Amino acid sequence: MFHQTRPCIFAHCLFRQSKRPEDLSDIQADLLEILSSGVELAHSRASKVMSIRTEQHAALDLPDFMTIFRESWDFVVQTETTCRRMIVGLRGTVLSQGKAFLQAMHQARISASAKVVEEEQWSAIDVSPASQALANIIIDSAMSDSAKLRIVPDNVQNGHANGVATGASAKQLSIEDVKYYAVPATLKMFEFLVDYLKVIVNLPLLTTDSVGRIIEFLKAFNSRTCQVVLGAGAMRSAGLKNITAKNLGGFLT
């Protein structure tokens, strides 16, 4: 038995001794190529599965979509790091679905804001602590990302901001120590704006697209509001006999 196995052991030793550094480098390159091929296949299959569910993913709320987006993007980045190369397949699909989600959210907010303006009665109302808190978040976002905009997967909050604002309602909205009368449509707009800011804070890859959508949203809201108030459309939609200084006050001051 010893004489039968000894040549094999001897041959194995000779094989190991004959390996030169350049041979090992070739083997490493071959293994890396095999790994990259396997990862590309995995990306391709995952991309097909995600593509089938584009519409369903676009209809999700932000916390649920954020979970899918982050898990998929982390997989893309980690596998590309391992393979030491960019792999286009799944990367493109994830970014495309992010933009599809943002566009679906944007269209929903545009439609909702138009309906709110159309149904507005243009009478000033008290400002709740929750509405004031939303205004404060928007103001703070001009300088830094508010912690209240962050969505924590293990503790997803309800509503539009972390925590519940408490206290008495105020007669006017306070923006940087300046007081304004507010109508329901204005306060509702704050909720929509915070939704866009949440996308920017939690999905920074969509920041550029989100900023463009915010500009479109504000233009649409302002245009519709001008048509209804300054263009006297409120006389028809809200049943007002005329547009008074008080109605303009709720819109302009």
Side-chain angles (χ1 to χ4, degrees), residues 31 68-69 71 79 126 137 172 174 193 212 248 252:
L31 291 175
I68 293 175
F69 186 92
E71 291 290 339
T79 51
D126 290 348
I137 289 174
Q172 293 176 299
S174 177
L193 280 176
L248 291 175
L252 297 173

Side-chain angles (χ1 to χ4, degrees), residues 80-120:
E80 286 183 344
T81 300
T82 301
C83 295
R84 304 175 190 173
R85 56 180 291 191
M86 179 182 292
I87 302 174
V88 180
L90 185 57
R91 169 184 284 265
T93 300
V94 174
L95 290 175
S96 176
Q97 291 210 350
K99 294 180 180 181
F101 167 81
L102 177 60
Q103 182 61 23
M105 188 193 84
H106 176 60
Q107 290 300 327
R109 299 303 180 275
I110 290 286
S111 299
S113 65
K115 182 178 180 181
V116 167
V117 172
E118 189 67 30
E119 296 176 350
E120 182 58 66

